[in-house]
Amino acid sequence: MSAKSPLYYVVLLGVITSLSFCHRQHLPAGAAEVNEINTDLSEQLKQSLVYLNVSAYVYNQMQPWKSAEIVQKAGFGCAVGPYEVLTTARNASDAAFIKARRHGQNEFIPAEVKVIDYESNLCLLELDKDAAGDPLEPLDFAEDYDKGARVRSYRLSATGNLTTGRGYLDKAKVYKSTTSYASFLNFTVANASDASAGAQLYCMGQKPIGITCWADTDAQEVGLIPAITINRFLADARRGQYDGFGTAGFVTRTLLDPTRRAWLKMPEDMKEGVYVAKVYNLGTGSDILNENDVILAIDGRSLNAYGRFEHEQFGRISYHHLITGHSIGEDVTFDIWRDGKKQQLKTKARNFEASKMLVPYYEYGKQPEYVVTAGLVFQRLTRDYLQVWGDDWRGKVPPHLYHYYRDLAFAPTDQRRDIVILSYILPANINLGYHGLGRMVVSKFNGKEISRLADILDAQKLNPESKYDIVEFEHDYPTVVIPRTELQFADIAIARNYGITKLVNVEP
Amino acid sequence: MRLPKIIVVVTAAAVLLCGLGRAGGAVARLGERSLDKSVVMIRSVQQEFDYITPWKQTEVAQGIGSGFVISGRRILTNAHNASNYKYVEVRKEYEAKRYPARVAFIGHDCDLAVLTVDDDSFFNDMVPLELGPLPKVNSTVQTYGFPVGGRRISVTEGVVSRIQMDVYSHSRADSHLVVQTDAAINPGNSGGPVLQNGKVVGVAFQGLREAENIGYLIPTTVIEHFLADIEDGKYDGFGSVGFAFYPGLHSRSYADYLKVPPGQQGIVILSTLMHSSVENVLQAGDVITRVDDFNIDNDGMIEIYGLRLHMAEAIERRQIGENVEISFYRNGELNKIAAVVALNKPILPYWRQYDAEPRYEVFAGLTFVPVSRNFLETWGRNWITDMPFYLRYLFNNSEQLNTSRQRKEYVVLSEILPDEVNSYSSGFRSKVVGSVNGIDIHSLSDLRDAFAQSRDGFCIIKFMGTAAPLILDSEKAKQRHPDIMEKYQVPVETDLEEIS
């Protein structure tokens, strides 16, 4: 695995707009605080906000060969360049077509994804310049945080009205991203009068400070992706090679228990440190940390027993902010306690594509991989697939499948890169006797151990003298025996009968 | 779609007791014979255990069911009328007197029980009923008992709708032969006789929720097996041979791959149960074609009693310890073996348990119990989906996950009695113990010795599916232990009675 594996990024234009070309909007600064509280920027923001309508693919996990259905999503965006719009990755995920509407203009403007990062839940769109007309007025995001400050929200509605709301900046806290496994700093706005996610712009006084990424309408709370994340995302995106944010390659537990500290041979007067409960095969620190280590500090910032450090601006926040604060490849220093003594370990910040996981956490914007042979539908086990079981999927999916997601998702090896399952069987004469089988983990195909879905294609070429393809499974399931002489015609008949236009969709 | 079964027993119908008495006049009759000298009302008071903190018991409940007199001055009824009982009494319809009774034998796997009455005069004027054969489908049967809706013996009539293997709701897991009838079977009918031509053809025992007139009776094949079992003074239960199989050898290619001759039907062995008599005799890929005198078809069915039934019926006919002859193909060769019928219980009991005080071990406030269905059901109505993942994984796959021949059961940290010594342990509640101080825990009885050890002054408890161990200060744990037991009124330190 490359330590510098790029995240999902889509560069659709050869020319990256330089900051120097931006006609950037400078909002009045230095207003008195009392005025800032009541400042309404609606007028100034009219040429900076857009309404987004996204036509998105919805793939059918159980019939992955089907042409995706299209659903409509609405969201918001704000200008960060003359024709560049910032929104959330959630808004733009699985996009087939994106169109934007700006204030005072009836016509929609086509937009394309320039960079999308599901870990930080941010996306940079580029508007069609011809359709957009005059440049937008780009915003500068201010990395300000004033706990308790009054803030205002702004969004351009579907009908072209600029709508505002109010709230209070309640706290800065690290939350799990709503689009990935990663954890990022969010600001929480309390008493939000217009609680909606989808990249509403929030301003504190004159200054844009973030866009919304989640909303709890019952609690009237919203979460903001703060400027500190946005600015790093934009800087990285404009370099032309988007690398993304570092993500943690380990799991910690609190280290409050004095008995556990004594067991770890920590001195009584050593109060800092968080316990490493699990180490992944992917992500920052996965190459140097061990279970039962205690992380005392990251980059010299001392961690308490909860894994939090004292941030000069945001107060006590999780160490994840230190990891995501690194660009890929930058040095990260861990001060740890191991085997009864302090050690300092250095590594590089890493992240990884979700597709590198043993059970991918997400598969945005791509058709699920599958192989159909003799009516047997083989698929890669993914979180998206497991979610077919509905809201309570964790309690409903076959536990052996869930075990791979829960315990081993971040632990791919050279020997096991995918979990390949027989999802179910399309009944046909060639598979008579097996019709009810499914949700089984494939172990071998024609004697070859299956490490990834593509291995099935290789395995089908093995044992050319054999009359049969032989499929074996984990746990106590029958062996599936496919007569090769009937296979070619059976596949044609099955494809026609079940409307399968392509029997194989596997990434090389 | 399969509808959930419900047990047809009343647990809170004690109101009936106060007003019952012989009203004279008409009584239920079987031809010229009155059934009030055979059918009795059974009232029981039951109390379940708390499977999280097993030294406690739950609320007392009482219920009413039916039963009938059989030979040998005995009363036959359902196990669920008398399970977890604190007190049982029987009543005749025509007499005010209550007769305290005792459970002589109880078979929870077949939902049958035999009661005896201390006052032997109870039987003096009673007429025992005889057992008859399996009824024919579409023949008429009569159900007798004391269901809700009145105080007298009730009789309903219906036809036999079908006969098949099905799940017995009392244990939630065991499957035996059942007879389905459209004769009304309501709460309170449980344990009552179902008659045809003057003989008992079944014991009414359960019905189908959300369906009209679908009731079930335990046929005499099961009753006779139960009565034969208890002749030696103890109940052993229904046995099996101990293999898992796939009833789907419809693929000629599969049969050819397994070298089964053309035209030969059978079932494919997928695995054998650890410690069973066939563990090292049969193997995955063997194809069983015959059990005793019964040919097995590709659906796993046999012709027996003039019916097409699941092949398990051929094995269930045998008592524990008896042999069955199994014919199977391996590598194209036909083999025959004698397999011993045994209980062959899996490591994690997936059936409900009754009448057995749950075992436990408490150390430093940490309460450990064996993982059982009763424990898992403490997660409530949706326990299957709501219980913690690893318990669900074990419940579904314990046979595949366990590789230890020493394992007798899984042990779970069921509760933590709060104390300073275990203040940081709450995150480990409901986790399954893997080892204590380096000693693998294969049963509850392994814990005591393991806790007596220590590792450099620490007690280290590792859990399955969890990376971080629970750490206790060994000396402090031992010091605090008596105070904790006293503070939380744990009556005995352990109850480590071995698994029967």
Side-chain angles (χ1 to χ4, degrees), chain A residues 205-464:
Chain A
Q206 305 286 329
K207 300 172 182 173
I209 58 165
I211 60 174
T212 58
C213 57
W214 56 263
D216 182 342
T217 51
D218 290 337
Q220 285 191 291
E221 276 188 353
V222 295
L224 304 185
I225 301 172
I228 192 169
T229 307
I230 291 170
N231 289 340
R232 286 201 45 239
F233 167 76
L234 292 175
D236 198 357
R238 285 167 175 147
R239 282 193 299 108
Q241 170 70 38
Y242 185 78
D243 292 325
F245 297 81
T247 52
F250 53 92
V251 179
T252 58
R253 284 175 62 102
T254 58
L255 191 48
L256 303 167
D257 183 359
T259 307
R260 184 180 297 274
R261 285 179 170 274
W263 176 65
L264 293 165
K265 300 173 185 167
M266 298 177 74
E268 280 188 24
D269 59 351
M270 182 183 280
K271 301 297 181 190
E272 72 271 30
V274 68
Y275 179 74
V276 178
K278 191 172 184 178
V279 179
Y280 299 153
N281 293 359
L282 304 162
T284 308
S286 60
D287 55 337
I288 54 163
L289 293 173
N290 295 333
E291 290 175 6
N292 294 329
D293 283 348
V294 177
I295 304 175
L296 303 173
I298 298 176
D299 295 335
R301 310 293 288 263
S302 177
L303 305 189
N304 69 9
Y306 294 92
R308 297 178 191 141
F309 69 101
E310 193 66 40
H311 191 283
E312 54 280 359
Q313 192 178 10
F314 307 125
R316 280 189 179 178
I317 57 173
S318 162
Y319 66 84
H320 282 282
H321 185 64
L322 293 169
I323 307 280
T324 57
H326 280 288
S327 295
I328 303 311
E330 290 180 356
D331 288 336
V332 185
T333 304
F334 287 86
D335 289 311
I336 66 161
W337 184 266
R338 180 186 290 173
D339 299 332
K341 54 183 183 290
K342 278 186 180 179
Q343 297 185 38
Q344 189 170 79
L345 308 174
K346 290 187 185 298
T347 188
K348 302 289 185 188
R350 295 177 173 191
N351 61 9
F352 50 90
E353 295 174 42
S355 61
K356 301 284 189 213
M357 296 171 67
L358 189 66
V359 181
Y361 194 87
Y362 59 75
E363 278 200 313
Y364 297 114
K366 59 181 283 195
Q367 188 169 12
E369 293 180 64
Y370 64 90
V371 172
V372 178
T373 178
L376 280 63
V377 181
F378 295 101
Q379 291 181 253
R380 189 179 183 194
L381 186 66
T382 65
R383 185 169 174 269
D384 289 345
Y385 179 87
L386 294 171
Q387 286 182 316
V388 168
W389 270 265
D391 289 341
D392 303 326
W393 60 275
R394 288 178 174 80
K396 290 178 181 169
V397 299
H400 189 49
L401 300 189
Y402 186 69
H403 144 75
Y404 278 113
Y405 166 75
R406 174 188 181 264
D407 299 327
L408 299 168
F410 294 91
T413 61
D414 290 341
Q415 294 73 38
R416 201 78 186 266
R417 293 166 59 184
D418 294 352
I419 300 301
V420 177
I421 57 168
L422 171 63
S423 181
Y424 64 102
I425 291 175
L426 298 163
N429 287 346
I430 195 172
N431 54 45
L432 188 69
Y434 296 119
H435 292 174
L437 297 180
R439 300 164 297 283
M440 298 142 60
V441 177
V442 179
S443 59
K444 292 180 182 174
F445 197 113
N446 288 339
K448 176 183 173 68
E449 291 192 356
I450 297 301
S451 161
R452 50 201 285 270
L453 189 58
D455 286 348
I456 288 181
L457 304 179
D458 296 335
Q460 284 179 310
K461 298 167 191 156
L462 297 174
N463 309 332

Side-chain angles (χ1 to χ4, degrees), chain A residues 18-249:
Chain A
S18 163
L19 280 174
S20 59
F21 296 151
C22 294
H23 172 69
R24 192 161 294 276
Q25 183 179 5
H26 298 286
L27 299 170
E33 190 172 341
V34 63
N35 290 332
E36 286 203 359
I37 289 171
N38 296 313
T39 300
D40 182 354
L41 305 176
S42 299
E43 200 56 39
Q44 295 98 306
L45 290 171
K46 278 180 179 171
Q47 296 309 317
S48 300
L49 301 182
V50 297
Y51 168 79
L52 297 173
N53 179 281
V54 179
S55 302
Y57 295 115
V58 178
Y59 293 100
N60 185 332
Q61 293 291 332
M62 298 312 290
Q63 295 183 74
W65 51 85
K66 273 195 165 180
S67 298
E69 291 181 32
I70 300 292
V71 297
Q72 301 296 318
K73 298 194 290 187
F76 315 106
C78 55
V80 290
Y83 298 101
E84 286 181 328
V85 168
L86 179 75
T87 188
T88 57
R90 176 168 290 283
N91 281 349
S93 61
D94 299 316
F97 179 66
I98 303 173
K99 56 189 180 183
R101 174 179 276 153
R102 59 189 296 183
H103 186 265
Q105 185 172 318
N106 291 335
E107 298 80 11
F108 276 113
I109 308 162
E112 292 192 325
V113 172
K114 197 168 177 184
V115 178
I116 190 162
D117 180 349
Y118 296 105
E119 274 65 55
S120 62
N121 192 13
L122 286 170
C123 176
L124 186 62
L125 300 175
E126 176 119 357
L127 302 187
D128 183 306
K129 288 176 185 164
D130 294 335
D134 293 337
L136 296 169
E137 294 181 4
L139 302 176
D140 274 330
F141 280 86
E143 297 181 6
D144 289 357
Y145 174 75
D146 184 4
K147 186 176 172 67
R150 198 166 181 177
V151 289
R152 275 181 179 263
S153 65
Y154 301 90
R155 64 184 169 91
L156 192 65
S157 72
T159 53
N161 294 321
L162 208 145
T163 305
T164 70
R166 294 182 177 198
Y168 294 90
L169 208 48
D170 185 44
K171 58 180 174 252
K173 186 179 172 187
V174 170
Y175 288 87
K176 193 169 169 300
S177 166
T178 56
T179 49
S180 80
Y181 49 82
S183 296
F184 277 83
L185 182 74
N186 286 175
F187 294 164
T188 301
V189 175
N191 289 338
S193 63
D194 185 19
S196 69
Q200 277 193 89
L201 176 69
Y202 264 82
C203 294
M204 188 167 65
Q206 305 286 329
K207 300 172 182 173
I209 58 165
I211 60 174
T212 58
C213 57
W214 56 263
D216 182 342
T217 51
D218 290 337
Q220 285 191 291
E221 276 188 353
V222 295
L224 304 185
I225 301 172
I228 192 169
T229 307
I230 291 170
N231 289 340
R232 286 201 45 239
F233 167 76
L234 292 175
D236 198 357
R238 285 167 175 147
R239 282 193 299 108
Q241 170 70 38
Y242 185 78
D243 292 325
F245 297 81
T247 52

Side-chain angles (χ1 to χ4, degrees), chain A residues 257-260 262-263 275 277 394-395 397 399-400 402-403 406 432-434 467-468 470 475-476 478-479 481 483, chain B residues 246 248 250-251 253-254 256-257 270-271 385 389 392-393 396-397 400 424 428 458 460 465 467-473:
Chain A
D257 183 359
T259 307
R260 184 180 297 274
W263 176 65
Y275 179 74
R394 288 178 174 80
V397 299
H400 189 49
Y402 186 69
H403 144 75
R406 174 188 181 264
L432 188 69
Y434 296 119
K467 290 192 288 182
Y468 303 116
I470 307 296
H475 288 179
D476 303 328
T479 301
V481 181
Chain B
Y246 181 61
H250 297 285
S251 163
S253 300
Y254 194 15
D256 182 48
Y257 172 73
L270 299 177
S271 64
T385 56
F389 165 72
R392 191 164 71 92
Y393 197 15
N396 278 268
N397 298 96
Q400 289 87 17
Y424 302 92
F428 296 93
F458 298 99
I460 301 162
L470 190 162
I471 311 292
L472 295 176
D473 182 321

